[in-house]
Amino acid sequence: MSFFDTLKQYDWEQIKDSIYAKTEQDVLHALNQTQCGLEDFKALISPAAAPFLEQMAQKSMLATQQRFGKTIQLYVPLYLSNTCSNSCVYCGFSHQNKIERVTLSEDQILKEAMAIKQMGFEHLLLVTGEHQKEAGFTYLMGAIELLRPHFAQISVEVQPMSTEEYQQLRQAGLHAVYVYQETYHQENYKNYHPAGKKANFQYRLETPDRLGKAGIHKIGLGCLIGLEDWRSDIWHTALHLSYLEKTYWQSRYSISFPRLRPNAGGFQPNMAISDRELLQVICAFRILNQEVELSLSTRESPTFRDHVFKLGITAMSAGSKTEPGGYAVHTKALEQFEVSDQRSPQEIESMLHEKKYEAVWKDWDRYM
Amino acid sequence: MQQLTIAGQEFNSRLFLGTGKFSSNQLMEEALIASGSEMVTTALRRVDIQNPEDDILKHIDPNRFRLLPNTSGVRTAKEAVFAAELAREALQTNWLKLEIHPDPKYLLADTIETLKACEELAKKGFIVLPYMQADPILAKQLEEAGAAAVMPLGSPIGSNKGLITREFIRIIIEQANIPVVVDAGIGAPSHAAEAMEMGADAVLVNTAIAVANDPIKMAEAFKLAVQAGRIAFEAKLGTQLNQAEASSPLTSFLNL
């Protein structure tokens, strides 16, 4: 059994219809529950919930403060490589795009890491394109072994791997793995991923199962908002989370909400989501699940981030560069997508401080 | 009010504080001071134990507070023992709040691993205060394993639901030969006062203070509630009866 078997029990169109059919009464019912279920969640992400955004935000903020306090964890991505054998139509790193390809050497990784360290970060997210030879398991294992002594927590957002490989990376000090399904629409998935290993929907979908079996501490989920009907994709993300929490109960979970951003491929989103709607999604997730970590990246604008972080978010990236060598090496590599919030980590910390929140730079330790 | 003694050390305050969830370390420090507490726990994972200038530690005055590092985040006895040894070396304290919760959702203590770790850590010379399920048998087993105090939960960590385990805490208190510190779930000063009235030796509070609109004022409220509850316990509360008892007993004439 894996989540693939669970997903087979659901029909995309039926789910979509049931979300859009939710009424004001359904939303009020969901808002009055002590503990929401997945049916209530449909109401909270439906168009019918739009007039109740303020109530949702109030409820979400209180639940977040209760569990996480007035703290926001800060992390930063370190892009190790932009080589990629996939052809995802929405991604700047796509094999099809004629861009300068760079994979950082050990010396370059250390140089980048030290620049990040000087900014104050203890939590590091390693990111690569998906390329077996250039930036596969062996390369990543080397990078983790190299960086482990310098950071309290190392996470990755890289190509999916086997359970055994994840076990080995965990033993080397890997804390968390973020792997986004992009879309849960199995039929249309192949249109966005025409070639490369990522074209295998089932292998990607079962990655969190393999992570759970490997005992990875934290598993990050998400869908790419803008590919398919986002309400349906978000609901399937919640279904995935619910399945994983019950099956791999020792892992912690995190949800991200990446909206499609401009990139080298020039792909235009099929379905836009407004700021109001994105906030609705964040609040709905918090009302559904009080323990899950919710993350907000520098894809979002400073104004949006400054107002929304209080309303459900627990982690933010800051000072991000999305090209390999962006912090210190300065290669000619193109970035994966345009960063919207260009402020430095210290500016983000000051903003949090002004709003009476603590920026948490370290919440794990290398011995754990 | 009697002093509290744990492992030979005396404390004037029976309120222990946690350091998570505050909006700044400065505010945390001010709340710690307002609480009158003398025992403060902090998650090892939040502390840079290689760095004596670590920001959290800078705000916990060692002359005012005993630092009680906790192992929150570990999932097994083996990890807990390793973390404890690192903490002892880096922070120069053998006091430890043992927390093993493999379940990241409700953060409930793993009974089997906690008992195993407590036994090993006590043998290694640690003053172990284990966070535990409100299980009277386990409390006795931890006592036999060398715990310096036991810390049963009132309700799940951070829930602010109060003493939903009160009947089991009552039995633990009744049977214990070591101090009982009610940890987790205390969400209001009245919950803390209730635990103290029941005879708990101390309470540990974090979320209720850190998340309050005014954490400093709330810390003071808890200080007073803990004192009131303890004084009431020492004064011996009247027994609860199901029937009314005349304040002027009907048979008092016999004594005339």
Side-chain angles (χ1 to χ4, degrees):
Chain A
M1 279 290 281
S2 75
F3 182 64
F4 188 64
D5 303 297
T6 303
L7 190 65
K8 276 193 264 184
Q9 298 163 28
Y10 296 87
D11 177 82
W12 177 279
E13 290 304 323
Q14 274 179 12
I15 294 295
K16 185 177 165 184
D17 290 346
S18 66
I19 294 170
Y20 283 86
K22 290 294 178 190
T23 64
E24 189 181 307
Q25 280 307 310
D26 296 323
V27 179
L28 286 169
H29 181 266
L31 282 171
N32 285 322
Q33 297 302 300
T34 315
Q35 186 63 56
C36 276
L38 284 169
E39 205 51 41
D40 292 314
F41 184 70
K42 282 182 186 168
L44 295 174
I45 57 172
S46 75
F52 299 92
L53 187 58
E54 181 57 33
Q55 288 97 312
M56 287 176 68
Q58 298 277 353
K59 200 166 171 162
S60 174
M61 183 174 80
L62 282 177
T64 310
Q65 285 182 4
Q66 171 84 4
R67 173 74 184 212
F68 298 92
K70 292 181 176 177
T71 65
I72 294 285
Q73 283 200 35
L74 293 182
Y75 69 94
V76 71
L78 168 50
Y79 278 71
L80 297 177
S81 171
N82 64 357
T83 53
C84 191
S85 53
N86 293 317
S87 306
C88 312
V89 297
Y90 49 80
C91 180
F93 287 176
S94 167
H95 182 65
Q96 306 297 325
N97 293 338
K98 302 288 173 234
I99 58 168
E100 179 96 15
R101 301 290 172 171
V102 173
T103 299
L104 299 184
S105 66
E106 286 201 350
D107 282 351
Q108 288 175 318
I109 294 173
L110 272 180
K111 208 171 165 192
E112 288 281 286
M114 289 312 117
I116 284 171
K117 189 93 180 157
Q118 279 186 351
M119 291 191 260
F121 287 105
E122 278 289 339
H123 295 177
L124 187 62
L125 171 65
L126 304 180
V127 187
T128 66
E130 301 194 7
H131 198 283
Q132 282 295 102
K133 278 190 193 156
E134 282 281 317
F137 168 75
T138 313
Y139 175 78
L140 210 60
M141 179 62 109
I144 290 172
E145 283 171 348
L146 190 67
L147 295 169
R148 187 65 179 137
H150 304 291
F151 291 90
Q153 187 185 104
I154 295 181
S155 311
V156 298
E157 191 182 321
V158 300
Q159 62 197 307
M161 295 184 200
S162 69
T163 306
E164 295 69 32
E165 286 172 330
Y166 284 134
Q167 275 166 344
Q168 287 182 51
L169 293 177
R170 177 171 65 85
Q171 278 156 15
L174 177 63
H175 176 79
V177 177
Y178 300 84
V179 59
Y180 306 131
Q181 185 56 31
E182 320 298 13
T183 178
Y184 287 84
H185 194 304
Q186 190 172 357
E187 265 309 293
N188 292 353
Y189 178 90
K190 55 189 166 214
N191 301 332
Y192 305 115
H193 309 95
K197 213 174 169 185
K198 197 168 171 179
N200 186 338
F201 178 86
Q202 183 175 350
Y203 187 74
R204 191 161 190 94
L205 189 73
E206 289 176 341
T207 308
D209 281 279
R210 296 195 296 280
L211 290 166
K213 285 180 187 137
I216 294 289
H217 282 280
K218 187 158 76 181
I219 300 172
L221 307 174
C223 57
L224 189 50
I225 298 176
L227 292 183
E228 288 295 317
D229 176 74
W230 58 261
R231 296 180 206 272
S232 309
D233 257 332
I234 290 290
W235 187 83
H236 282 88
T237 310
L239 176 71
H240 203 169
L241 173 68
S242 161
Y243 158 86
L244 290 167
E245 279 192 331
K246 281 185 191 143
T247 314
Y248 309 103
W249 60 275
Q250 294 204 25
S251 289
R252 188 181 282 269
Y253 295 90
S254 150
I255 305 282
S256 300
F257 310 94
R259 285 199 268 196
L260 268 170
R261 296 279 305 150
N263 63 73
F267 179 83
Q268 290 303 310
N270 292 325
M271 190 180 180
I273 182 171
S274 67
D275 282 358
R276 278 187 74 83
E277 288 167 334
L278 184 55
L279 175 58
Q280 183 186 341
V281 168
I282 291 168
C283 297
F285 254 111
R286 176 58 67 226
I287 294 169
L288 173 74
N289 187 317
Q290 266 89 77
E291 296 81 25
V292 71
E293 296 180 13
L294 301 180
S295 174
L296 199 60
S297 80
T298 52
R299 286 172 183 257
E300 301 305 331
S301 70
T303 312
F304 187 74
R305 279 167 38 108
D306 288 3
H307 288 90
V308 164
F309 81 85
K310 280 185 175 181
L311 309 180
I313 297 300
T314 60
M316 288 167 86
S317 52
S320 306
K321 304 285 182 194
T322 69
E323 72 273 24
Y327 300 101
V329 176
H330 304 303
T331 63
K332 289 177 186 163
L334 272 180
E335 57 193 8
Q336 188 187 27
F337 57 85
E338 277 179 27
V339 166
S340 180
D341 188 346
Q342 309 263 8
R343 289 172 294 177
S344 71
Q346 276 61 40
E347 285 174 299
I348 299 294
E349 184 183 35
S350 304
M351 180 277 288
L352 293 172
H353 188 69
E354 274 167 29
K355 294 182 189 264
K356 305 207 180 311
Y357 269 64
E358 184 188 3
V360 174
W361 299 85
K362 176 181 176 294
D363 189 32
W364 199 249
D365 217 320
R366 55 186 72 93
Y367 66 82
M368 290 173 126
Chain B
M1 199 174 79
Q2 289 170 3
Q3 283 188 316
L4 165 66
T5 306
I6 300 179
Q9 183 170 343
E10 293 185 335
F11 297 88
N12 291 310
S13 166
R14 291 171 178 268
L15 173 60
F16 299 175
L17 251 64
T19 52
K21 305 188 182 183
F22 284 93
S23 61
S24 72
N25 287 334
Q26 183 59 41
L27 186 64
M28 174 195 82
E29 184 178 0
E30 288 171 37
L32 293 183
I33 292 168
S35 75
S37 177
E38 294 167 338
M39 177 88 99
V40 171
T41 184
T42 192
L44 275 167
R45 64 169 203 267
R46 282 285 296 273
V47 179
D48 183 354
I49 52 179
Q50 313 298 336
N51 174 15
E53 287 299 294
D54 177 88
D55 199 43
I56 288 186
L57 296 181
K58 269 200 313 197
H59 287 86
I60 304 173
D61 178 357
N63 298 318
R64 192 190 282 261
F65 306 107
R66 168 163 281 290
L67 181 65
L68 182 65
N70 71 59
T71 60
S72 168
V74 307
R75 299 194 289 192
T76 63
K78 199 175 157 193
E79 288 174 1
V81 171
F82 188 57
E85 283 176 336
L86 277 177
R88 178 159 65 180
E89 195 179 326
L91 304 176
Q92 299 295 306
T93 177
N94 61 345
W95 285 63
L96 185 80
K97 183 181 169 202
L98 176 63
E99 281 190 51
I100 304 181
H101 33 70
D103 139 43
K105 195 172 173 71
Y106 290 106
L107 308 174
L108 294 169
D110 183 321
T111 297
I112 295 164
E113 294 294 306
T114 301
L115 184 56
K116 233 193 284 181
C118 181
E119 201 159 23
E120 195 174 336
L121 288 165
K123 279 185 195 151
K124 287 175 181 280
F126 284 92
I127 309 293
V128 189
L129 286 73
Y131 164 63
M132 58 174 285
Q133 308 282 353
D135 173 349
I137 303 295
L138 176 64
K140 293 308 287 178
Q141 289 169 329
L142 286 165
E143 187 179 314
E144 286 164 7
V150 285
M151 305 183 78
L153 54 78
S155 49
I157 290 181
S159 68
N160 284 358
K161 287 184 177 170
L163 304 182
I164 60 177
T165 60
R166 64 170 59 72
E167 197 49 34
F168 302 102
I169 287 178
R170 188 190 64 71
I171 300 170
I172 291 171
I173 291 169
E174 181 192 312
Q175 297 183 338
N177 295 310
I178 51 177
V180 176
V181 183
V182 177
D183 181 5
I186 291 180
S190 55
H191 299 154
E194 185 188 356
M196 298 308 296
E197 286 171 2
M198 283 167 64
D201 295 278
V203 294
L204 191 147
V205 181
N206 187 174
T207 300
I209 292 175
V211 168
N213 265 346
D214 186 338
I216 298 167
K217 216 173 236 179
M218 189 58 85
E220 196 187 349
F222 269 99
K223 175 173 85 173
L224 298 172
V226 168
Q227 285 173 356
R230 178 65 193 183
I231 292 168
F233 172 75
E234 289 175 7
K236 301 213 183 301
L237 291 168
T239 314
Q240 284 187 15
L241 292 176
N242 290 327
Q243 293 163 339
E245 187 178 74
S247 53
S248 304
L250 300 175
T251 55
S252 58
F253 72 97
L254 294 171
N255 301 328
L256 291 174

